[in-house]
Amino acid sequence: MKLFVDSASVEAIEALMPLRIIDGVTTNPSLLGREAGDPHDTLRRICRVVGGPVSAEVVATDVDGMLEEGRRLADLDEHIVVKVPFGKAGVAACAALAADGIRVNVTLVFSASQALLAAKVGATFVSPFVGRIDDLATAGMDLIGQIVEIYENYDFTTSVLVASVRGPLHVVEAARLGADACTCPPKVIDALFGHPLTDIGLERFLADWNKTRGGGA
Ligand code: G3P
């Protein structure tokens, strides 16, 4: 399963790259709006740092506006994937952009029917928001299982990109269900590393070593 960073912070992304576990980045208007400087410049810098798919979202809400903005975003860098919000305009824009060979990530997906439509118009990625479904006391991960099943039934090539990830359990469940990718805020990626028994175990190994062979013996 591919691991993406859900962030528009060049510094946060740069800090994760040496781990060699990051395959791409997703941004959205909320994340990009928080960063200082020109958003297009930030996106170009992220593309250079990651060298993999970087989702950049349109803010237009009509088809023509999405197409114009999407093409401008795609021109920024070869790694840009144009993100469009799900809806009739988003679906039409996805079809047109995909026909031009531009990769599209259909976002704000909350149902299997929406994911089916996104795949039919050639989305490269579909982004179901599991955390926001959980927030409504409904199991967000159930949706991932449904989408994976539907895509397998028809050999759709659209990748399931699990989004709105709130913790390591979402990542593990995404991998168990066969999702293609999972996009995580940096703090969730950090949490994937942690286990108290690893820390305690290392502490014990080092203490034992220092007792026996340590101190230059
Ligand atoms: O990139 C979109 C998505 O991951 C947003 O997550 O935490 O705002 O629901 P969240």
Side-chain angles (χ1 to χ4, degrees):
M1 184 176 72
K2 295 204 182 321
L3 207 51
F4 290 5
V5 192
D6 200 21
S7 172
S9 161
V10 180
E11 294 72 26
I13 296 163
E14 252 169 359
L16 289 167
M17 291 315 290
L19 297 171
R20 306 184 76 131
I21 55 170
I22 303 304
D23 302 293
V25 164
T26 53
T27 69
N28 61 39
S30 308
L31 294 170
L32 205 52
R34 272 183 225 151
E35 301 303 314
D38 172 53
H40 283 186
D41 183 48
T42 303
L43 286 167
R44 277 196 216 94
R45 288 173 64 204
I46 294 172
C47 288
R48 272 200 302 275
V49 168
V50 177
V54 175
S55 289
E57 188 164 339
V58 301
V59 288
T61 53
D62 62 303
V63 181
D64 288 343
M66 286 184 186
L67 291 180
E68 196 195 318
E69 211 185 325
R71 287 185 181 120
R72 225 178 317 129
L73 287 169
D75 279 345
L76 291 178
D77 190 284
E78 58 173 328
H79 296 299
I80 292 285
V81 175
V82 176
K83 212 175 185 189
V84 299
F86 184 84
K88 288 181 179 165
V91 165
C94 176
L97 292 168
D100 285 353
I102 293 172
R103 292 180 298 167
V104 181
N105 176 356
V106 176
T107 189
L108 287 171
V109 165
F110 292 93
S111 75
S113 62
Q114 294 177 329
L116 173 63
L117 300 180
K120 282 184 73 74
V121 290
T124 299
F125 296 101
V126 66
S127 293
F129 277 28
V130 293
R132 293 192 195 183
I133 298 176
D134 286 355
D135 292 344
L136 299 181
T138 307
M141 293 311 297
D142 287 355
L143 176 60
I144 304 306
Q146 291 170 17
I147 300 173
V148 168
E149 180 188 2
I150 290 168
Y151 285 8
E152 278 174 7
N153 283 348
Y154 297 100
D155 290 333
F156 282 124
T157 54
T158 303
S159 293
V160 180
L161 170 49
V162 179
S164 185
V165 165
R166 303 280 164 77
L169 204 51
H170 277 152
V171 181
V172 171
E173 282 299 302
R176 293 187 69 190
L177 290 165
D180 301 282
C182 201
T183 187
C184 310
K187 67 172 189 306
V188 173
I189 291 173
D190 276 349
L192 295 176
F193 283 86
H195 199 294
L197 291 179
T198 306
D199 302 338
I200 292 166
L202 180 61
E203 218 173 280
R204 263 189 222 159
F205 282 151
L206 294 179
D208 288 344
W209 180 258
N210 286 332
K211 255 188 274 161
T212 53
R213 311 296 289 256

